[in-house]
Amino acid sequence: MGRDPEALLSSLNEAQRQAVLHFEGPALVVAGAGSGKTRTVVHRVAYLVASRGVFPSEILAVTFTNKAAQEMRERLKALVKGAGEAWVSTFHAAALRILRVYGERVGLKPGFVVYDEDDQTALLKEVLKELGLSAKPGPIKSLLDRAKNQGVAPESLLAELPDFYAGLSRGRLQDVLYRYQEALEAQGALDFGDILLRALRLLEEDLEVLRRVRKRARFIHVDEYQDTNPVQYRLTRLLAGEEANLMAVGDPDQGIYSFRAADIRNILDFTRDYPEAKVYRLEENYRSTEAILRLANAVIARNALRLEKSLRPVKRGGEPVRLYRAEDAREEARFVAEEVLRLGPPFDRVAVLYRTNAQSRLLEQALAGRGIPVRVVGGVGFFERAEVKDLLAYARLSLNPLDAVSLKRVLNTPPRGIGPATLEKIQSIAQERGLPLFEALKVASSLLPRPEPVRHFLALMEELRDLAFAPAEDFFRHLLSATDYPAYLKEAYPEDAEDRLENVEELLRAAREAEGLADFLDKVALTARAEEPAQAQGGVALMTLHNAKGLEFPVVFLVGVEEGLLPHRSSLSTQEGLEEERRLFYVGVTRAQERLYLSYAREREVYGRLEPVRPSRFLEEVDAGLYEVYDPYGRRPAPPLHRPLPGAFKGGERVVHPRFGPGTVVAAAGDEVTVHFEGVGLKRLSLRYADLRPV
């Protein structure tokens, strides 16, 4: 397209065009589902370069997934010469890049490694063992992640916890947290949460580094701003500085990640943070049909925590939204499978979405039983597979001998005669002499009764350290040959050795594209977390609603639309929790391009018992004309969802209860209302018995 500014604007609608033309100062782009927000950001960056004379090296665009960042870079390269040199990155990749250059200023050792979730768990297990404690590491890891995402010391959250958490008293838990952080630093490692925290600390404490980074980020774009956590928010505000050339792009109606510490108030309060900010609303939806969007708009309008907007369809008409009532979960799965079969291939245009992973089993069985290919999205990620983690551990250890987690993983993999007893002796030497584990290994090689296996391992690591600065693919090929790792896989995993060997080959292909081993390990650290599922190839995609964010499919089945599942029973105690569940339902609805099926069951197994369930309030609180009750089997039609409401509450009314005091009606369905009472929280009340009076 060259550098013609008008050509950059010609394909945009009016709202997109106005956002792209925005030059200096803060801007908020409220971008509804399917409204072309990525297109808007890409064209805005290109326009800054082509028309405003901004150097690409002065532009930062932050996305939430590596896949989205890569897509944005490619689109920029195609639009304007040089625009691809803009700094397009995830928050974590940007922070890691800053730490690689300036990390020594905050005490980071050169060549520090980033631990993934398995490494984090392994280190916590070591700490618990060292302290003589019996506890599960999972809840402790969750506590660490939550604290670091919020930007607070983990110890500061102890007061919120019960007296015993993860089987430990608060005092012992505090010991574990301190020792874990000490062990991380001793091993020259960061966990995922540390990446952003250390970068924030660096920029807050070192004004010279902040000045340099701000030069590289004069114009900042942050996508999915509703998903930023407190640390990302502080980083963004710090980088934007007084110039505040910040464009925040997002949709509060799609804020569904509070469990990751995402704070929807960051986008809701943007104009309070920046009173001079211009606001642009992208409301034209290019994804879904009119019928789907009418339902989506009606559902989300019930939320109080949102910025006003209403999606308008570019695609008019379309198939009606269909609602199916099943007798139970098994029959619901049968219905989905039969309907998918009736629609016919290609099957990869179909997604089945659900609230919890436990719902996938019956669906998978029903589809596979009819010969329909299935892909469950959100399973074990590529970089989490055992054979891949083995080879990566060797690579990390070759660059950082302090990495005790990697050392323990590969010391006897493949088996070389260094068993648990030998490892215990090596760890004793390390503790007695105050040595890192790798140094203790060298000492042990002259003290052990059978030192040959340890000496062979040390010789191998010497070879690998010499290769650590060679091309990454050369390093791995030498490693495979020196350890005879393929033969080990065939012997240890005879049933799926071929699959594992294919994973090894895929790792080699990925390594081929890296600049070097250290660069490759950084990329792995940033993508190892299952951050976004790919579109399913060749089969029906089964996934949770959280995993569906950012995807779209011609046909969507949204199953289990029931009270207790969607909204989930764990989220009914607060207005904020209930509104996030409504946003989750909205995200599911807006994944559909052409056909949308909703289903619920008359009874479902709950904690091992078959119990009657009722349709979700999200169905009951919208007009029944927005969907068609679907009965492909000619059974007696299901009873209507909408019954007359005593008191005619619709939601939003202020009321008073004799016991709970003043409150606001959040939802009304059947003869029940859900009211948020000040200082009490959410209560579901029967209108027959609750003496509710309008204010």
Side-chain angles (χ1 to χ4, degrees):
M1 189 175 282
R3 302 176 68 89
D4 177 13
E6 271 311 307
L8 290 171
L9 301 173
S10 61
S11 62
L12 305 175
N13 65 40
E14 185 54 31
Q16 292 169 337
R17 182 186 177 96
Q18 290 305 315
V20 167
L21 288 171
H22 180 90
F23 184 34
E24 292 178 320
L28 174 63
V29 180
V30 184
S35 64
K37 69 180 174 64
T38 304
R39 179 184 190 79
T40 304
V41 173
V42 168
H43 280 249
R44 200 259 175 156
V45 172
Y47 193 80
L48 286 175
V49 174
S51 181
R52 299 291 194 176
V54 177
F55 293 112
S57 58
E58 297 177 307
I59 299 172
L60 169 63
V62 180
T63 70
F64 264 75
T65 68
N66 292 287
K67 179 184 169 189
Q70 182 60 32
E71 181 188 328
M72 192 176 287
R73 276 191 290 269
E74 288 169 2
R75 287 167 71 168
L76 281 169
K77 284 178 190 171
L79 274 179
V80 171
K81 187 179 179 184
E85 294 167 23
W87 187 5
V88 182
S89 172
T90 63
F91 271 110
H92 285 87
L96 187 55
R97 180 169 164 182
I98 292 166
L99 291 174
R100 285 291 176 211
V101 179
Y102 303 109
E104 288 181 70
R105 296 188 182 217
V106 278
L108 289 177
K109 298 178 174 72
F112 66 84
V113 297
V114 179
Y115 279 176
D116 67 13
E117 295 191 24
D118 284 353
D119 302 321
Q120 208 179 347
T121 300
L123 184 58
L124 278 169
K125 285 179 179 175
E126 283 294 323
V127 167
L128 289 165
K129 184 179 175 185
E130 180 189 315
L131 296 175
L133 299 172
S134 176
K136 290 184 176 177
I140 303 172
K141 189 181 110 26
S142 296
L143 175 67
L144 283 161
D145 289 349
R146 184 153 56 94
K148 291 181 180 185
N149 283 333
Q150 290 176 9
V152 299
E155 305 80 55
S156 68
L157 298 183
L158 293 180
E160 301 173 9
L161 301 176
D163 291 340
F164 276 82
Y165 178 82
L168 300 174
S169 67
R170 285 181 188 157
R172 295 309 270 156
L173 182 56
Q174 186 158 345
D175 293 341
V176 172
L177 297 175
Y178 278 132
R179 183 69 196 101
Y180 167 80
Q181 209 60 40
E182 279 181 357
L184 264 184
E185 292 183 19
Q187 296 184 25
L190 300 180
D191 61 27
F192 208 68
D194 282 329
I195 296 173
L196 294 180
L197 267 182
R198 286 295 187 97
L200 178 63
R201 184 178 135 201
L202 169 66
L203 295 173
E204 285 179 337
E205 295 177 0
D206 195 318
L207 294 181
E208 174 58 23
V209 173
L210 177 60
R211 186 184 64 79
R212 291 182 191 176
V213 176
R214 275 180 175 168
K215 280 183 72 176
R216 190 70 179 84
R218 262 195 67 217
F219 287 85
I220 302 172
H221 307 72
V222 180
D223 195 7
E224 305 289 8
Y225 197 71
Q226 78 279 354
D227 293 334
T228 50
N229 64 34
V231 178
Q232 292 160 338
Y233 170 76
R234 284 165 61 190
L235 263 172
T236 302
R237 296 264 291 163
L238 189 62
L239 286 177
E242 289 181 13
E243 279 193 2
N245 293 324
L246 167 63
M247 178 173 277
V249 185
D251 181 7
D253 291 340
Q254 296 184 75
I256 58 173
Y257 294 124
S258 64
F259 66 95
R260 294 182 190 165
D263 191 342
I264 195 172
R265 289 172 301 182
N266 294 347
I267 191 167
L268 294 175
D269 293 344
F270 188 85
T271 52
R272 192 177 69 186
D273 290 341
Y274 300 100
E276 71 278 26
K278 295 279 180 21
V279 179
Y280 305 94
R281 286 180 168 80
L282 307 186
E283 297 178 304
E284 283 188 65
N285 176 285
Y286 294 87
R287 176 187 299 156
S288 306
T289 62
E290 185 176 10
I292 293 166
L293 290 184
R294 283 175 60 218
L295 174 65
N297 285 330
V299 166
I300 204 63
R302 307 290 294 219
N303 270 9
L305 295 171
R306 64 188 302 258
L307 298 173
E308 193 55 46
K309 73 169 191 327
S310 184
L311 293 177
R312 299 189 302 273
V314 172
K315 298 177 184 174
R316 294 288 170 184
E319 293 282 325
V321 175
R322 294 186 167 99
L323 174 67
Y324 179 75
R325 185 191 75 153
E327 289 302 305
D328 55 28
R330 198 171 294 278
E331 203 240 304
E332 180 182 52
R334 265 200 311 274
F335 158 70
V336 171
E338 292 293 343
E339 195 67 14
V340 169
L341 210 54
R342 188 184 71 77
L343 293 171
F347 294 119
D348 61 358
R349 65 197 177 111
V350 179
V352 185
L353 311 181
Y354 37 80
R355 178 64 176 83
T356 68
N357 277 306
Q359 291 170 261
S360 71
R361 183 180 61 84
L362 290 174
L363 292 158
E364 191 175 359
Q365 287 174 347
L367 289 159
R370 286 160 179 78
I372 300 168
V374 173
R375 179 181 174 207
V376 181
V377 177
V380 177
F382 177 77
F383 292 110
E384 296 167 353
R385 292 165 186 167
E387 58 278 12
V388 175
K389 286 185 72 69
D390 287 347
L391 301 178
L392 292 175
Y394 272 109
R396 291 194 322 200
L397 186 61
S398 70
L399 286 167
N400 177 20
L402 294 172
D403 183 355
V405 169
S406 293
L407 175 56
K408 286 173 192 169
R409 184 175 187 104
V410 300
L411 189 58
N412 200 41
T413 305
R416 53 175 61 90
I418 307 177
T422 305
L423 177 57
E424 288 221 5
K425 287 175 188 171
I426 296 164
Q427 286 178 304
S428 296
I429 293 169
Q431 285 170 357
E432 288 164 13
R433 306 196 182 193
L435 295 172
L437 197 59
F438 196 85
E439 294 302 313
L441 201 61
K442 295 177 183 175
V443 174
S445 67
S446 58
L447 298 178
L448 292 168
R450 284 188 61 251
E452 291 80 10
V454 170
R455 287 176 182 168
H456 285 147
F457 178 75
L458 288 169
L460 168 67
M461 289 312 303
E462 195 64 36
E463 286 176 37
L464 294 176
R465 289 199 72 181
D466 289 341
L467 278 168
F469 298 98
E473 185 185 3
D474 293 354
F475 173 90
F476 285 115
R477 288 205 181 277
H478 182 84
L479 169 61
L480 291 169
S481 170
T483 58
D484 206 6
Y485 192 81
Y488 156 68
L489 287 180
K490 289 174 186 173
E491 188 177 330
Y493 306 100
E495 291 181 3
D496 62 352
E498 285 307 312
D499 287 345
R500 292 174 185 268
L501 287 168
E502 282 180 19
N503 291 335
V504 170
E505 281 301 317
E506 184 59 34
L507 181 70
L508 291 173
R509 279 192 287 274
R512 196 175 304 148
E513 298 167 8
E515 292 176 16
L517 194 61
D519 171 63
F520 179 65
L521 290 177
D522 275 357
K523 285 178 178 169
V524 169
L526 294 166
T527 55
R529 290 197 161 199
E531 48 158 40
E532 82 277 299
Q535 295 280 48
Q537 296 298 316
V540 173
L542 301 185
M543 69 185 85
T544 64
L545 285 159
H546 285 102
N547 273 338
K549 175 88 183 301
L551 302 181
E552 57 185 37
F553 297 87
V555 181
V556 167
F557 290 83
L558 181 43
V559 301
V561 187
E562 302 151 16
E563 286 294 299
L565 261 183
L566 187 64
H568 195 270
R569 60 186 66 85
S570 64
S571 302
L572 297 178
S573 58
T574 66
Q575 182 177 5
E576 290 81 3
L578 180 60
E579 291 209 354
E580 180 154 336
E581 291 291 305
R582 192 178 280 110
R583 292 195 293 270
L584 202 51
F585 181 59
Y586 174 80
V587 164
V589 168
T590 54
R591 297 314 90 197
Q593 294 170 299
E594 297 164 13
R595 290 175 183 265
L596 174 64
Y597 295 85
L598 309 173
S599 64
Y600 67 97
R602 193 175 61 80
E603 55 184 14
R604 192 176 292 270
E605 199 170 287
V606 181
Y607 300 124
R609 292 200 315 269
L610 204 59
E611 293 186 359
V613 289
R614 54 173 289 177
S616 169
R617 69 187 70 195
F618 303 153
L619 294 173
E620 296 186 332
E621 66 192 17
V622 298
D623 190 282
L626 293 174
Y627 51 77
E628 169 190 282
V629 176
Y630 190 49
D631 181 27
Y633 308 122
R635 300 183 318 196
R636 245 173 65 195
L641 293 179
H642 296 262
R643 296 182 292 279
L645 284 177
F649 289 113
K650 294 180 179 177
E653 296 89 351
R654 295 284 295 162
V655 292
V656 173
H657 185 273
R659 180 176 162 201
F660 302 127
T664 304
V665 176
V666 175
D671 63 351
E672 291 183 347
V673 289
T674 303
V675 183
H676 184 263
F677 292 103
E678 295 155 18
V680 178
L682 284 182
K683 294 287 180 185
R684 285 184 72 182
L685 304 169
S686 168
L687 288 168
R688 291 195 187 105
Y689 308 111
D691 185 13
L692 275 184
R693 299 185 183 177
V695 174

